[in-house]
Amino acid sequence: MNVPATTDLPVIVIGAGPVGLAAAAHLVDRGIEPLVLEAGPAAGAAVREWSHVRLFSTWGEVVDPAAEKLLAPTGWAKPDPNTYPSGGDWAELYLQPLAGVLGERVRYDATVTGVSRTGRDRIVDADRDTQPFVIHYTAADGAEARVFARAVIDASGTWSTPGPAGGSGLAALGEKIAADHIAYRVPDLKNPAVRARYAGKRTAVIGSGASAFTALAYLADLAQHQQGTHALWILRRGISGSTFGGGEADQLPARGALGLAAKAAVDGGYADAVTGFRTETIERDTHGRLIVVGEDGRRLDPVDEVIVLTGFRPDLTFLDELRLGLDERLQAPVALAPLIDPNQHSCGTVYPHGAGELSHPEKDVYLVGMKSYGRAPTFLAMTGYEQVHSIAAHLAGDHEAAERVELTLPETGVCGGAGLFDQPEAAEETGGGGCCAAPAALAIGSPVTVSGGC
């Protein structure tokens, strides 16, 4: 096998999402050639799957500086930095143009199936660090291919591996059998087919993060227009002062508004909360409806649909031949894990980190973006941009810049999720240019309601 010298090889970036494309932009800025392998047919394929959901971060917080520098000569116009993009906006107005500038450096329909050292499985020590990486991937037609790399940046995210309903971390008994009535994403209720699935139905929402808040708010809004629509909110913990996030004290107003909207859904009678409930089994009754059974034996009243929003997990299967140093709990790099432990940190208390904290026993391999956080739910896009800035500097030999990680994150509230859709114009006038900018306007059941539209 004739392999080019390592110095002549590109850095492989896995995933053409926000952080993967930002990594490519930083590498280009440093004079390093990237090759981005994206499993989907377009940039931001995972983001497009939640295109109906609006972020709780503004445009000013979700555009990477190096990417903006790369886009500027094309005449790209940055959206108003004080407004809130939807997932669809983010993909179409930023990610796809950025991928277009990168051109042939982005390869679509390329699903990575394995990463290793050339001629070395994970057991072999001899000359390991001097061997280039070999990356196997499959194309849309099933054809197999491989490329070689000097370094690997895995920005594939966690979207493809959502957590199960089961309280033990395993799928609940019966969960797979009931898959036709279980969803693992926030529903797009603007889609007529999806709306029909939940309209007039009783739906259980399992989870306590931003995605669960969003689903509850959407269902509460639907309940105002469709009689018989009701939500059952299942939480593994009790309801306390922190359950709904930072509220009006949140430095990201839309994030605070999100928690207030979920609270309004409960207070307004559109959702009933069941606390201290860990799902063990999902059964069907004689009418085909689902009965959620807890570890303590509680059997909840039948529901028509279940939405499981219990977080995401990193897919590490294609990295099996690499020597990764991961925390046994969070599945995040060992040096990063204590900095992002959700038992100790919110978004704003995460310490700035870069190449040093993201390194592994396997030299020149980095997990970045949401995947770097493993199972921790506290990730924000601006954190990922700072990560790849540091890694690109490190790979370019600028170690001083790699260690200079400066990041101030908004404090309080929940993270790792997205915001609600736009309010009517009256809500926007109350304070803050875009979706959910005014928490007080999100009193579900009042004349101001959650509405769709970009």
Side-chain angles (χ1 to χ4, degrees):
M1 177 168 39
N2 294 319
V3 181
T6 302
T7 53
D8 298 328
L9 295 172
V11 172
I12 294 297
V13 179
I14 305 174
V19 178
L21 291 177
H26 280 278
L27 291 168
V28 170
D29 192 50
R30 288 283 180 173
I32 300 173
E33 194 65 18
L35 175 60
V36 182
L37 300 179
E38 166 57 47
V47 173
R48 293 172 190 273
E49 292 192 25
W50 49 270
S51 61
H52 59 292
V53 179
R54 194 166 295 280
L55 282 73
F56 53 55
S57 296
T58 64
W59 270 115
E61 296 160 332
V62 298
V63 172
D64 175 76
E68 187 173 359
K69 179 180 176 182
L70 201 59
L71 284 163
T74 71
W76 179 75
K78 182 179 180 179
D80 183 342
N82 296 314
T83 59
Y84 296 78
S86 66
D89 296 335
W90 206 14
E92 288 297 329
L93 302 180
Y94 169 61
L95 298 179
Q96 198 62 56
L98 177 56
V101 173
L102 291 167
E104 294 184 356
R105 295 183 177 105
V106 181
R107 193 170 296 177
Y108 299 111
D109 294 313
T111 302
V112 174
T113 58
V115 182
S116 187
R117 291 280 187 177
T118 303
R120 307 287 188 274
D121 62 22
R122 69 185 296 163
I123 299 175
V124 179
D125 291 332
D127 301 321
R128 186 176 189 87
D129 287 351
T130 64
Q131 300 302 309
F133 293 95
V134 58
I135 296 90
H136 287 203
Y137 68 93
T138 57
D141 62 0
E144 296 180 304
R146 71 182 176 200
V147 290
F148 299 96
R150 57 173 285 192
V152 176
I153 298 175
D154 183 358
S156 59
T158 58
W159 180 255
S160 63
T161 47
S168 300
L170 304 174
L173 297 179
E175 182 172 349
K176 295 178 182 178
I177 297 174
D180 56 334
H181 288 284
I182 300 178
Y184 297 86
R185 306 285 188 266
V186 175
D188 179 5
L189 297 184
K190 291 178 61 184
N191 182 314
V194 176
R195 190 179 183 88
R197 177 174 177 175
Y198 297 98
K201 306 289 181 60
R202 180 176 165 84
T203 300
V205 176
I206 303 176
S208 60
S211 293
F213 291 172
T214 306
L216 288 168
Y218 281 3
L219 291 170
D221 182 63
L222 179 60
Q224 295 176 72
H225 301 93
Q226 182 66 53
Q227 187 176 5
T229 305
H230 195 78
L232 181 67
W233 187 19
I234 301 175
L235 299 98
R236 294 173 181 172
R237 59 191 181 192
I239 292 181
S240 66
S242 63
T243 298
F244 300 102
E248 296 181 3
D250 200 314
Q251 291 179 23
L252 285 179
R255 185 176 63 193
L258 187 57
L260 293 178
K263 186 176 188 299
V266 175
D267 293 346
Y270 301 105
D272 296 323
V274 178
T275 61
F277 191 97
R278 294 183 174 273
T279 303
E280 182 175 74
T281 306
I282 297 178
E283 302 175 355
R284 287 187 187 270
D285 68 9
T286 55
H287 301 288
R289 303 181 79 194
L290 304 183
I291 299 174
V292 183
V293 183
E295 292 178 352
D296 58 4
R298 277 185 288 171
R299 301 171 62 85
L300 304 183
D301 290 338
V303 296
D304 301 287
E305 300 287 339
V306 175
I307 301 175
V308 180
L309 300 168
T310 56
F312 295 89
R313 303 171 173 188
D315 178 7
L316 302 168
T317 55
F318 60 86
L319 303 175
D320 277 350
E321 292 306 317
L322 298 178
R323 298 175 177 181
L324 301 181
L326 298 174
D327 178 75
E328 68 275 8
R329 293 181 304 132
L330 296 183
Q331 294 178 294
V334 290
L336 176 61
L339 307 180
I340 62 172
D341 185 344
N343 294 300
Q344 303 294 329
H345 297 281
S346 71
C347 293
T349 61
V350 173
Y351 187 80
H353 57 275
E357 293 83 359
L358 295 169
S359 63
H360 293 273
E362 193 77 69
K363 183 175 178 288
D364 293 335
V365 169
Y366 300 95
L367 277 58
V368 300
M370 190 67 222
K371 191 163 186 175
S372 71
Y373 272 41
R375 299 193 182 199
T378 53
F379 183 77
L380 289 173
M382 62 184 81
T383 302
Y385 296 159
E386 196 67 23
Q387 290 177 342
V388 296
H389 153 76
S390 175
I391 291 167
H394 176 77
L395 293 174
D398 188 348
H399 301 299
E400 188 277 332
E403 294 174 2
R404 192 176 63 247
V405 183
E406 300 173 354
L407 183 64
T408 302
L409 295 173
E411 180 59 281
T412 78
V414 295
C415 315
L420 297 171
F421 246 66
D422 304 69
Q423 297 300 293
E425 291 181 3
E428 295 183 358
E429 293 171 358
T430 61
C435 158
C436 305
L442 282 171
I444 294 179
S446 72
V448 179
T449 61
V450 180
S451 61
C454 297

